[in-house]
């Protein structure tokens, strides 16, 4: 396309010098361009479909094809020029003879220009082609004028004759040079004489060239040569010398061919088509081609083989140096034959006499420690299977002196083309000193400094190592927890507590075997991993023996203190443990069950506990969506004021959270509240309870059912105020509610206050300033300090139901209830009794001066609708001491 545009511009230049150019009709000018472009379009399409047929490759393409292309282009150029002139001259007549002759001149011009470019070498061909094209265009212009009606002057006829002679002279020169110089055209210029050779050379899969015997000029190169080396397109002027990385190699090769006539398999470095260096194997032979002495050369790429040879040589040198200089023992295992080479240093570090012959793998493996042999075999197998990039492991091996030494082994495998391991070689070094030092540090890092037994880090590593069912088979885990250890610390001091822990650790260490491990996991908790136990029954017997040893009084700070422990036991023969982590989890569940059942006992993780565990998992999972699905709701238990005159006045309700599971029915709060606290769901559930209770109280106010003195209370979990974020969310919710002071009460346990008394005071004060009254729930069941109790801004104390139930049958319980009531009043607090179930209990509390009471004697927990109905009856005088609402008996799980 670029050549077409150049021809058209040259024609326009001729039109510029023609008289009357300013009157040129541009339609004819553009039409001439269209003829030229559209006429050459098929040539362009043919080029793009098969571009290799149009490359200027003088050795492999027919000169006749280029002559034909040039002729077609010349005809189109002449036709285009005549069309352009039609817009410039006045056409009196058209001479078909001169028009045909003009087209012929155009064809001859294009053919000879292309011939000159293709046939003549270098600048000569370029100069000749350009001169030919310009001469032909000038003659075409003059003859086209005559064809379109212009008359010829003598000067014009002279120019045409001179130009034609020059054109014929150029044609003859180009043709003669092409016929004479066989080196330029090669066999393609004479397909009859060289066609068979070209066909054979192109069929060969290796690069083939013909080189002139007396110069570095390339006579012929097959397509494979051009693809691999691209020499002619990169630097054809240098000839064959440009192919060699070291040209003297080519000269030496040519000299050998001249002397002996043939050269076989010479290794030569040559340049590839992308500029990289490759190694080739060259064979050459002197032949006569077309009467000319030439050298036929073939090239074979051996770069991969040379790289392998160089790598092998470097490896052998390194191997020799390493074997001499390294302090490691070298071994080399030929897997197909089964023989192993052990260096002298390898034998020396293992303590084998120099003359002793070793050549088998068992000579090595039979010396490995029994506890390490499986690990070593597995490591070797993993690397041979390709699952590990290399063998890198440590093990113990029996030295010639009878002792075991620590070895560090590294190795790499060699595989064949099918990926099968055929060889493995590596080194072995003695690391006994380092391992001894590491073990001493490890023992120090894994030892509990107070008790002398192992610590939590050691036991955690033991759990991580035993991560399969096979690894834990025949073992068992026992967890031991000292009951009420905090009571010992607080009453007798930390020195006495430390002495107790040391005594417990000593008893446990005396009970276990040499293969067992005992570790202190927490301040008052120990773990024992038993090995070589037949089943859970045998482990249970050992746990019972430990319980007997530990459950007795201890002399601490000259005070004899009774102490009990709780024990949880898990074994793989019972339960679902498939790893050490599972076994530890099951033992933890068994220990929790033992403590929840009063402590001082051994609990075994069995099928029943497994079912309980699975149920807990299901409940924990379902509790996440319980509120969203509307399964969580509140029931309301009345709070009654015990009047001195014998009246029972309804003053409020306690909102109690309930969960109705879609499959399991009503879930007791004692089951799902701990799950909510463990999972962190208690925060949103607690806020939900406050919102539900206050919304209900607002609705009652709107209906006129609740007077100004009616309040509602909600339990507050310790987890809700354990962090600043939890306290912040609670206060934000209360700020949004805008309840009148005294209408909302929050019940907290003693643990909320005593875990961090200062933070507890701050939190309660913030709630009091927002009009929230605080009630201390379950008073007497936990641990509280009277020195702190007066600091808390509380409204009331709630006596736990356990004291109320025993008040009628145990004198000490009655005295305790009386003391709590008197203490509360002395501190300026109101007192509430929980769990009142009989008339006698209510009257006894009234006599003791208790302010409020709640329980089944008055009413079981009610739905929101039933509580509203109770309020309506109160407003009509329907609630008194003789008309309580326990006729149907207890419902659900009681008041909590």
């Amino acid at each position: 396309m670029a050549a077409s545009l150049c021809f058209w511009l040259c024609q326009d230049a001729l039109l510029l010098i023609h008289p009357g150019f300013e009157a040129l009709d541009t339609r004819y000018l553009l039409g001439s361009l269209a003829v030229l472009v559209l006429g050459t379009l098929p040539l362009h399409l043919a080029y793009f479909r098969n571009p290799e047929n149009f490359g200027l490759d003088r050795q492999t393409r027919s000169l006749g094809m280029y002559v034909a292309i040039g002729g077609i282009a010349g005809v189109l150029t002449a036709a285009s020029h005549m069309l352009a002139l039609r817009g410039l001259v006045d056409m009196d007549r058209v001479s078909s003879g001169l028009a045909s002759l003009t087209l012929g001149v155009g064809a001859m011009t294009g053919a000879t220009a292309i011939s000159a470019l293709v046939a003549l070498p270098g600048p000569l061909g370029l100069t000749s082609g350009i001169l030919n094209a310009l001469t032909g265009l000038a003659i075409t212009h003059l003859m086209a004028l005559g064809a379109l009606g212009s008359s010829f002057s003598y000067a014009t006829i002279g120019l045409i004759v001179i130009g034609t002679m020059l054109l014929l002279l150029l044609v003859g020169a180009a043709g003669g040079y092409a016929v004479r110089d066989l080196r330029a055209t090669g066999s393609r210029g004479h397909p009859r004489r060289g066609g068979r050779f070209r066909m054979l050379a192109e069929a060969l899969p290796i690069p083939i060239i013909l080189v002139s015997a007396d110069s570095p000029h390339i006579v012929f190169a097959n397509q494979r040569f051009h693809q691999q080396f691209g020499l002619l397109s990169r630097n054809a002027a240098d000839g064959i010398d440009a192919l060699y990385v070291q040209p003297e190699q080519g000269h030496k090769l040519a000299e050998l061919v001249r002397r002996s006539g043939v050269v076989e398999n010479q290794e030569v470095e040559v340049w590839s088509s992308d500029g990289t260096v490759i190694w080739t194997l060259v064979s050459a032979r002197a032949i006569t081609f077309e009467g000319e002495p030439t050298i036929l050369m073939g090239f074979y790429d051996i770069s991969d083989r040379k790289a392998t040879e160089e790598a092998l040589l470097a490896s052998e040198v390194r191997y020799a140096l390493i074997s001499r200089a390294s302090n490691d023992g070298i071994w080399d295992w030929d897997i197909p034959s089964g023989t192993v080479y052990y260096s002298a240093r390898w034998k020396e570090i293992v303590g084998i006499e120099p003359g002793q012959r070793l050549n088998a793998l068992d000579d090595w493996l039979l010396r490995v420690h029994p506890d390490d042999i499986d690990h070593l075999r597995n490591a070797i197998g993993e690397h041979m299977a390709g699952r590990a990039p290399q063998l890198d492991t440590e093990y113990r091996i029996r030295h010639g002196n009878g002792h075991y030494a620590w070895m560090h082994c590294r190795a790499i495998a060699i595989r064949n083309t099918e990926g099968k391991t055929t060889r493995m070689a590596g080194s072995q070094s003695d690391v006994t000193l380092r391992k001894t030092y590491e073990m001493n540090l490890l023992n120090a890092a894994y030892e509990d400094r107070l008790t002398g037994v192992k610590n939590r880090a050691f036991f955690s590593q033991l759990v991580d190592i035993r991560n399969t069912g096979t690894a834990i088979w025949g073992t068992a885990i026992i967890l031991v927890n000292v009951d009420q250890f905090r009571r010992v610390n607080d009453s007798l001091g930390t020195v006495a507590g430390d002495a107790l822990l040391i005594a417990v650790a000593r008893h446990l260490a005396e009970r276990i075997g040499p293969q067992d491990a005992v570790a202190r996991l927490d301040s008052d908790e120990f773990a024992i991993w038993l090995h070589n136990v037949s089943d859970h029954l045998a482990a249970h017997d050992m746990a019972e023996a430990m319980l007997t040893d530990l459950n007795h009084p201890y002399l601490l700070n000259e005070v004899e203190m009774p102490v009990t422990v709780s024990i949880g036991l898990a074994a793989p023969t019972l339960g679902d443990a498939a790893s050490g982590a599972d076994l530890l989890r099951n033992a933890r569940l068994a220990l929790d069950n033992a403590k929840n059942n009063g402590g001082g006992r051994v609990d075994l993780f069995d099928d029943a506990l497994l079912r309980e565990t699975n149920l807990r998992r299901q409940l924990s999972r379902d509790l996440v969506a319980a509120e969203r699905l509307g399964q969580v709701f509140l029931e309301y238990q009345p709070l009654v004021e015990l009047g001195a005159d014998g009246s029972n006045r309804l003053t409020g309700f306690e909102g109690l959270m309930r969960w109705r599971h879609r499959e399991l029915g009503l879930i007791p709060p004692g089951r799902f509240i701990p799950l909510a606290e463990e999972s962190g769901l208690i925060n949103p559930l607690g806020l939900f309870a406050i919102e539900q209770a206050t919304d209900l109280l607002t609705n009652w106010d709107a209906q006129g059912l609740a007077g100004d003195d009616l309040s509602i209370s909600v339990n507050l979990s310790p987890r809700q105020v354990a962090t600043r974020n939890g306290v912040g969310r609670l206060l934000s919710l209360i700020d949004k509610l805008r309840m009148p002071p005294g209408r909302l009460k929050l019940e907290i346990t003693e643990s909320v206050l005593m875990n961090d008394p200062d933070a507890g005071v701050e939190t309660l004060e913030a709630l009091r300033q927002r009009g929230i009254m605080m009630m201390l729930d379950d008073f007497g069941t936990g641990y509280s300090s009277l020195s702190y109790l007066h600091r808390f801004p509380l409204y009331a104390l709630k006596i736990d139901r356990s004291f109320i139930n025993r008040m009628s049958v145990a004198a000490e319980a009655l005295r305790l209830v009386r003391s709590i009531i008197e203490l509360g009043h002395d501190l300026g607090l109101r007192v509430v009794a929980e769990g009142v179930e009989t008339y006698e209990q209510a009257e006894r509390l009234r006599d003791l001066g208790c302010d409020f009471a709640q329980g089944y004697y008055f009413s079981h927990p009610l739905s929101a609708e039933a509580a509203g109905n109770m309020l309506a009856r109160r407003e009509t005088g329907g609630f008194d001491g003789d008309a309580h609402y326990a006729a149907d008996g207890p419902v659900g799980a009681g008041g909590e």
Side-chain angles (χ1 to χ4, degrees), residues 538-615:
H540 190 269
D541 291 341
M542 294 190 65
E544 288 286 358
M546 293 178 183
L547 185 69
T548 302
D549 284 348
L550 296 173
N551 282 353
H552 63 80
Y554 290 80
L555 185 62
L556 304 172
N557 280 356
E558 299 182 354
V559 175
E560 194 173 63
M561 176 70 70
V563 174
T564 62
V565 298
S566 298
I567 295 180
L569 166 65
T573 54
L574 197 63
D576 60 344
S579 65
D582 294 341
L583 201 61
L584 180 60
R585 178 204 63 201
N586 293 347
R588 173 75 58 196
L589 293 171
L591 176 62
D592 292 342
N593 196 60
K595 293 186 73 67
N596 291 337
N597 289 323
R601 53 182 284 170
V602 175
D603 269 21
L604 173 66
F605 186 87
D606 55 9
D607 292 339
L609 192 53
L610 177 60
R611 288 192 296 272
E612 173 68 17
T613 301
N614 291 335
L615 178 59

Side-chain angles (χ1 to χ4, degrees), residues 123 486 668 754:
R486 183 176 178 181
M754 301 316 301

Side-chain angles (χ1 to χ4, degrees), residues 128-166:
S128 176
I130 293 174
L131 185 59
N132 188 303
L134 294 177
T135 302
L137 283 174
I139 297 173
T140 301
H141 179 72
L142 296 174
M143 296 188 68
L145 289 174
L148 295 177
S150 298
S151 59
F152 289 126
S153 64
Y154 290 110
T156 301
I157 295 174
L159 289 174
I160 292 175
V161 172
I162 294 172
T164 303
M165 292 177 63
L166 180 60

Side-chain angles (χ1 to χ4, degrees), residues 554-865:
Y554 290 80
L555 185 62
L556 304 172
N557 280 356
E558 299 182 354
V559 175
E560 194 173 63
M561 176 70 70
V563 174
T564 62
V565 298
S566 298
I567 295 180
L569 166 65
T573 54
L574 197 63
D576 60 344
S579 65
D582 294 341
L583 201 61
L584 180 60
R585 178 204 63 201
N586 293 347
R588 173 75 58 196
L589 293 171
L591 176 62
D592 292 342
N593 196 60
K595 293 186 73 67
N596 291 337
N597 289 323
R601 53 182 284 170
V602 175
D603 269 21
L604 173 66
F605 186 87
D606 55 9
D607 292 339
L609 192 53
L610 177 60
R611 288 192 296 272
E612 173 68 17
T613 301
N614 291 335
L615 178 59
R616 285 174 58 86
R617 291 174 183 168
Q618 179 186 357
L619 293 178
S620 297
R621 184 174 60 252
D622 295 344
L623 185 58
V624 175
E627 178 191 343
R628 177 173 53 83
L629 298 176
Q631 299 173 359
V632 177
F633 60 96
L634 295 184
E635 288 186 340
Y636 302 89
Q637 187 168 37
L639 181 67
V640 177
E641 183 179 10
L642 301 175
D645 58 354
S647 63
N648 299 323
R649 189 173 67 90
L650 179 62
T651 61
F653 292 91
E654 179 182 359
L656 303 171
M657 193 178 301
R658 299 291 186 255
W659 178 20
R660 182 172 285 109
H661 193 277
R662 62 174 179 267
E663 298 174 358
L664 304 176
L666 196 62
I667 307 298
R671 176 174 288 276
F672 76 83
I673 292 297
L675 295 179
E677 291 180 338
E678 292 173 6
S679 62
L681 293 174
I682 194 62
N683 286 311
L685 288 177
L687 298 180
F688 166 80
I690 294 174
E691 287 183 296
Q692 290 291 306
T694 54
D695 287 346
L696 181 61
L697 186 57
T698 302
N699 290 335
W700 286 341
D701 284 340
Q703 297 173 28
L705 298 178
D708 294 339
D709 62 337
L710 185 73
S711 65
I712 195 164
S713 64
V714 179
N715 286 281
L716 193 64
S717 169
R719 294 293 181 92
Q720 291 181 259
V721 291
T723 63
R724 290 188 177 272
N725 289 336
V727 173
R729 286 193 291 267
L730 175 62
L731 296 178
S732 296
L733 174 62
I734 291 174
D735 290 339
K736 294 177 183 177
L737 297 177
R738 301 186 181 279
M739 292 292 296
R743 301 295 298 280
L744 175 64
K745 298 181 175 66
L746 296 179
E747 300 184 13
I748 59 175
T749 60
E750 295 171 87
S751 60
V752 174
L753 305 178
M754 301 316 301
N755 286 340
D756 189 348
D758 294 333
V761 171
E762 182 180 348
T763 301
L764 296 188
E765 184 61 32
L767 291 170
R768 187 190 65 80
Q769 292 176 1
R770 287 166 170 80
I772 307 300
M773 292 184 175
M774 304 302 300
M775 305 172 69
L776 189 59
D777 196 14
D778 300 334
F779 184 76
T781 60
Y783 172 81
S784 61
S785 173
L786 297 181
S787 63
Y788 280 101
L789 191 59
H790 73 280
R791 294 178 51 193
F792 301 121
L794 299 172
Y795 163 73
L797 299 178
K798 298 188 74 173
I799 306 174
D800 186 71
R801 69 181 59 251
S802 62
F803 301 128
I804 304 302
N805 291 337
R806 293 188 295 113
M807 185 175 58
S808 300
V809 295
E812 68 277 6
L814 179 61
R815 289 193 297 269
L816 184 58
V817 170
R818 179 184 290 111
S819 299
I820 293 175
I821 295 173
E822 293 175 354
L823 173 64
H825 290 163
D826 290 342
L827 293 174
L829 305 177
R830 311 300 293 273
V831 180
V832 182
E834 294 182 297
V836 179
E837 298 183 354
T838 66
Y839 172 79
E840 289 76 11
Q841 291 174 349
E843 291 307 310
R844 179 62 60 88
L845 289 168
R846 194 191 312 272
D847 294 340
L848 293 175
C850 186
D851 302 294
F852 302 96
Q854 64 184 89
Y856 291 149
Y857 171 70
F858 302 102
S859 173
H860 58 71
L862 304 172
S863 66
E865 181 180 0

Side-chain angles (χ1 to χ4, degrees), residues 364-365 368-384 387-388 390-397 406-410 424 435 465 467:
W364 169 20
L365 299 183
V368 177
H369 194 284
D371 291 345
D372 299 340
I373 183 61
D374 290 340
H375 173 70
L376 176 59
R377 289 184 183 274
N378 289 337
I380 294 174
E382 288 291 304
H383 179 49
M384 291 180 64
R387 290 187 290 270
Q390 65 178 3
L391 173 65
D392 191 341
T393 186
E394 292 181 350
Y395 53 87
R396 287 163 291 180
I397 194 168
W406 277 97
M407 298 292 163
H408 185 191
C409 180
R410 294 186 182 92
M424 185 180 291
K435 290 295 290 186
I465 292 174
N467 56 5

Side-chain angles (χ1 to χ4, degrees), residues 183 210-217 219 254 257-258 286-287 292-295:
R183 289 175 298 178
L210 277 175
V211 182
S212 176
D214 55 0
S215 73
H217 190 79
V219 176
V257 173
R258 293 188 189 97
I287 64 172
E292 298 268 349
T294 58
I295 298 175

